[in-house]
Every structure is written in C-alpha cells, then in structure tokens.
Amino acid sequence: MNLYKHVSDAINQKLGTSVNLEIPRNRDFGDFSTNAAMVMARSAGKNPRELAAEIMPEIAALDFVADASIAGPGFINIKIKNDFLWNAAADATQIAKTDPMVIDMDYGSYNVAKSLHIGHLRTSIVGDTLNRIAKFLGHKTVSYNHIGDWGRPMGLVIAYIESLHPEWPFFASNFDASKINPADYRITAAELDTYYPAASARGKSDEVFLNHAREITADLQNGHPGYTALYNLFLKVSLDMMDDIIRKLNMMPFDKTLGEKNASQYLHVVEKMLRDKNLLHPSDGAEIVTVRRDTDAEPMPPFMFYNSRGADTYEATDLAAIWYRKTNDNPDKIWYLTDARQQLHFKQVFRVAEMLDLIPTENLEHLYFGTINGPGGVPFKTRDGNAAGLMDIIRIVGDAVRTRCTESGKNLDDETIDQIALAALKFTDLMHDVKSDYIFDPAAVTSFEGRTGPYILYTAVRLNSVLRRAGADAPAHPTTPAALMPDERGLIISILDFERTVRAAFDARSPDILAGYAYDLCQIINAFYHNCPVLRDDVDAATRANRLYIVRNAQQTLETVISLMGLSIPREM
Ligand code: ARG
C-alpha cells in the first residue's frame, strides 16, 4: 500500500492537476498537505486562499478524507480517516503490480587468484540489496558474477607458479593433461592469496619476468593446454573462496558466474560486427575503435579491442559480454556496480555497444561508488598492519560485537553474534549514499544505538518478543478503535510509506533510501512502544488487542525491510 500515491492520485484526479503532495512536519496540522490551490491560482490569476476555499470541499468529499482545512497562504491540510488507515495497515507490504523489466545485474565480479578486499564490500552488499529490491517489485533479474579471469594477472600468477615449481609439467610444450593427476598439484587458498601480490611486485622490478607473464597471458588466451590445466586448478580455489564470502555475507547465489573468459569466446562475433561497420582500425599494432565525440569536454581515448600484443582487452570482453547478455537474456537494463575508477571504461564500452546497436546507452547503467576507509580516513588495515581482506573485515566486526556483548553482560550464542555483525557491516554500507566515500569504524557500526544495523535488529527483536509474549492475545484484525493516539497513527502512516520507499530506492538505485527508512521506522516504533504500552497490566484488553494489531503490522513491515537488506532477525539480543 502506497498511501502517499493513493492520496496524491485521488486529489490530482479530482482537481485535474498534477502537484506534489507534502507531508507536514507537524502532523497536528494533518497527515498530508497540498499546495494545489496555490499552483492553480497562479495559472487562473485568482486569489489562492479563495481558490482553496472553493476546492476544499472537493477534497473533503474524497472517501478516505476525514477532514480538510485551509492553512497559511492557501495550503490545504488533509487528515485521513482512521478507518481507512486502520484497514490499510494490514496491507502495508502488499504492493501494486509493476511493469516487469528484465535487468541483468553485474556485481561482485571478483577476480580469480586475487583476494577479496574492502573494495568488494559495496559491489556485493549494494548489488545484492538492489537485486532483492528489484525482485520484490516484480522485475526479473539475472545476476552476474562477471569474474576477472582472463587478463594479465593470470599470466603473472602462472609465471610465478612456474618460478616456484619449475618441475611441474604444465609448462612443458608436450604437456598432456591425460598423464597428470590434478590432486598432485595442490594449491591452497592461503598460498594462492600470496601469489598475485608477489607476482605483481616481481613484474614491476623484473622486465624479463613481466614479458614472460605477458607471453603466458597470450598463450593462455590462445588455448595453451598446460597453462589452461594449471589455470583450472586455481580457478577452483578462487571460486570456493568466492562462495565462502557469498555465504558469509548472506548474499543470494549468483545466477551466472561467467566472466571475461566466457565472454572471450564471443569476441569473434563482436569483432565481425565492428568490421562490418568499418569501426575497427589498426593503431600501433593494436586494434581500436574511436569513441570520441565532438561534444566531449573530457579526454576520451579510443576503445582498445586488441592490444599491441594481440591479447584480449578488458574492454573487448565487456563488449562481448553485452552481446552474450543481449542474446541470452535480452535485458531492458544492464546495471554494473564497480568503484568510481571504472567510469571511463564503462563510458567507452557503452558507446561501442550503442554503435553496434546492441543496446542503447541509456539502458546501460554504471552505478559506481566511492572508497571505504578505516578510522582516521586511512586505508583499512588489520591489527598487524596488513591490508584487510573481506574475511578479515567480517571477523573484525564479529569480534567488535562480541566485545560489546561481554562488556554489557549479554550472553549471546555465535549464530546471534554473526547475525548482529552482518547487520552492522551491511547496514552501514547501505546507509551511505552509493556514490559517497565513507569511513568504516567497527566500534561505531556495532553500537546498539543510533543509525546502526544492531539498532535495527534490536527493534525487530523487541517487536517479535512482544508478539511472542502476547500469544493468543493478538487477534487478527480488530475493528477500528474510536480514536488513535498520535504515536499509533504515526506508526501506521509510517508503515504505509513502505511501498513508496522501496520504489524510490529502486528508481534512484539508492538503497540508502531504504536504510534511512528502516532507521526512521525503528525510531517511530520505539517511540510508540514507549508511549503506548501493550502488555502492561494496566492496559485494557481492547487497547491491547488494537496495539498488538499495530505491532504485528509494523513487525511485518520492518521484517520485510530487513530481509531486503539481506539480514535476518535473531531470536534475542
Ligand atoms: N573484476 C573487476 C574488478 O574487480 C570488476 C568487473 C566489473 N564488471 C564488468 N563487467 N567489467 O575490478
């Protein structure tokens, strides 16, 4: 139920206008307020207050309006009927049908043989929540973990493994996959984690090594059997690490884990399309597409399809991936979630996709975000001074929750601690505007008060506990009470804003709208709880039943919001 839209549509339809409804700061004046009379007076050359007096009866006659009054220079304040609010409360999370879109969502998109770090938090958490929101609204989504698995890092890692184990058979020109037992060549996750940083450092100081790595990359891309077999060994290790993180973060599983390597199979298709349109040009041994436009104020380098060593580029594989998605999903939209540094990359890719009539640029959206730093605004590090991996961060937040619980004498089991820690981590990420940078402070985000995940969960636990204790005392749908207290009314109106909030978060691709709503809703719930006792002995049976009805609907709304954020509610906190 989208109360705002319901009221606003009815008024606009009645008056033949299209003005925005306002929500007065002070609800004593009404639940909503419209400046329709002022807008209409301007075009009709009339006095706004007089016009307000003329149209007020029309608004007052709407079936859900209890009372309308004129305020200030011509505002009309509107109070909604209790009966209407009361009955609508039961449908707070029931939403109107949406015209469904197919949305391909490219997030997570981790890299093979590279560890996951703080930079992967936003793409994972924001991506997963946007996916949940889109599905909730009825869209069909296809989530892609577009793994980075095909470029120079692969060559570097293989060259590095070769330097560690020159006796392994993968490097020989007569390599025969049928003659080896892959189990003899174990690479652990911990080992693999160290390979890329070491290889990358070596590549910076050792030209011979770097050139060898480049050759390996090109050979791997051309199907070298030994490199491919070795690659498959560490691919498996990496995929297992990704799965671990996905589970720990309570993300929905990806529909497709297909990355650059998969896309590279279709390079010849897009290459042909480019050639047919005469868009591909040789340049210093590379093959490029000019994407600059005269209107560009910023530098716009050419799109590189093959680099001067003939290797597939990141850009080219992204173009081929668009072709693949178009062919398989025919999406209305493709969303990409990466950090802000990839803006130019996506601009180039989107332009070429449009040149090939694959998909119009406005349907390709790069949702980029800023950086997360640790306290003091410096890169987030573990206690021993190393760059923190994603698993480290999850563990650090868990430890912070545990410390807090010990300090406050709470004795919670491990599962509950994990649930709270996840809420702390995710809520703080969702609450920040996607494009902004933010500071991640484990001590602050685990507080049980203020804008934190634990506060949200705590409020939900409280509601659940009231309902549990009430047991059979909670009738399904009591008749509308004669009067509603301001906190009761405020809470009902707030849950009736749920649908509008979810739609706004989707439309703006801004989960912070949902997170902000969650916090406001919790504040209102706690004020209600404070001012409107439910189970206290001095509360009469009818009042109790009514308040339990409100609590149940508030609980359902809050629970839905929490699940959209990919969180779950512990039994106790
Ligand atoms: N693997 C890339 C990285 O970690 C992100 C990939 C984003 N998606 C894409 N289709 N390019 O930076």
Side-chain angles (χ1 to χ4, degrees), residues 106 109-111 120 146 148 314 318 325 336 338 342 345-346:
D106 180 318
S109 299
Y110 315 115
N111 298 312
H120 291 110
H146 183 79
Y314 180 46
D318 257 326
R325 292 169 191 184
Y336 297 85
T338 78
Q342 299 201 24
H345 165 77
F346 284 110

Side-chain angles (χ1 to χ4, degrees), residues 340-356:
R341 286 170 303 182
Q342 299 201 24
Q343 285 177 80
L344 178 63
H345 165 77
F346 284 110
K347 255 188 214 144
Q348 295 180 308
V349 173
F350 295 175
R351 283 190 182 183
V352 180
E354 184 159 77
M355 289 167 161
L356 295 184

Side-chain angles (χ1 to χ4, degrees), residues 201-274:
R202 178 138 168 216
K204 287 197 181 100
S205 61
D206 181 344
E207 183 109 5
V208 177
F209 177 81
L210 181 63
N211 280 329
H212 183 48
R214 285 183 171 137
E215 281 163 20
I216 292 179
T217 306
D219 288 347
L220 175 71
Q221 293 182 350
N222 289 320
H224 183 290
Y227 297 157
T228 306
L230 181 56
Y231 167 89
N232 285 333
L233 283 184
F234 60 74
L235 173 67
K236 166 93 178 61
V237 178
S238 284
L239 290 175
D240 287 347
M241 284 202 282
M242 291 178 207
D243 274 349
D244 234 20
I245 291 279
I246 291 165
R247 231 174 302 120
K248 278 256 163 39
L249 288 178
N250 192 33
M251 294 165 66
M252 294 186 290
F254 283 97
D255 296 313
K256 299 191 182 179
T257 298
L258 292 176
E260 298 165 5
K261 180 177 195 279
N262 176 67
S264 74
Q265 301 172 66
Y266 310 107
L267 281 173
H268 67 278
V269 184
V270 278
E271 179 175 343
K272 179 166 187 317
M273 293 167 86
L274 287 168

Side-chain angles (χ1 to χ4, degrees), residues 286-289 302-308 313-316 348:
E287 298 255 22
I288 62 164
V289 181
F303 172 101
M304 196 172 293
F305 195 82
Y306 292 120
N307 70 18
S308 54
T313 63
Y314 180 46
E315 297 90 298
Q348 295 180 308

